[in-house]
Amino acid sequence: MKRNSPERDLQVALFKWIRSHSDPIWHAIHASGNGNYKHPSTARKAKEEGLVSGVWDIFIPLPKNNFGGLYIECKSNSGRLTKEQKIFKETLENYYSFVVVRELEEAINIIEGWING
């Protein structure tokens, strides 16, 4: 039986839209991979390689408005930030912008606004 995964579905749809753009800046937008299930041995290796709990789903490495880039977290309508995600945001919110998105159109509008200024 397929698991209901609205946050994953939102992120997949968003990256299909992102990858449809030809300008190289769009292809610099990337995901953290934190939300993916990992076998315990793979999770251990990922942590050894630098995977950090709490990193938000998507990062746009384009400075704007005195911020070094934009972090985006995809959440379902009932989804909430984890303790680690809150700490990550609180640690870096003076340097980066953060936004939680729940709908594809909302995410598209935010990203277009960030990229196109």
Side-chain angles (χ1 to χ4, degrees), residues 3-52:
R3 255 180 63 197
N4 186 13
S5 55
E7 294 172 5
R8 180 187 184 284
D9 295 344
L10 171 57
Q11 189 168 332
V12 168
L14 185 55
F15 268 96
K16 284 183 181 178
W17 174 79
I18 289 168
R19 297 299 182 238
S20 72
H21 294 79
S22 60
D23 187 317
I25 192 64
W26 289 87
H27 293 270
I29 299 171
H30 59 276
S32 72
N34 260 359
N36 297 333
Y37 169 79
K38 293 169 187 63
H39 185 276
S41 65
T42 305
R44 180 181 43 77
K45 289 177 184 177
K47 286 181 183 179
E48 290 172 350
E49 294 168 356
L51 185 68
V52 176

Side-chain angles (χ1 to χ4, degrees), residues 95-109:
Y95 311 101
Y96 297 94
S97 188
F98 290 81
V99 65
V100 174
V101 297
R102 299 180 188 280
E103 303 283 336
L104 180 60
E105 194 63 36
E106 171 190 26
I108 287 171
N109 289 337

Side-chain angles (χ1 to χ4, degrees), residues 41-100:
S41 65
T42 305
R44 180 181 43 77
K45 289 177 184 177
K47 286 181 183 179
E48 290 172 350
E49 294 168 356
L51 185 68
V52 176
S53 184
V55 175
W56 285 35
D57 291 328
I58 300 167
F59 183 62
I60 302 175
L62 177 65
K64 280 281 193 228
N65 305 323
N66 296 319
F67 290 106
L70 173 64
Y71 280 99
I72 298 172
E73 180 65 28
C74 297
K75 291 291 183 189
S76 67
N77 287 332
S78 61
R80 301 287 175 251
L81 294 176
T82 65
K83 177 184 172 187
E84 293 82 5
Q85 289 169 331
K86 289 176 184 177
I87 291 169
F88 185 83
K89 178 183 183 285
E90 290 165 3
T91 302
L92 295 173
E93 64 190 349
N94 289 332
Y95 311 101
Y96 297 94
S97 188
F98 290 81
V99 65
V100 174

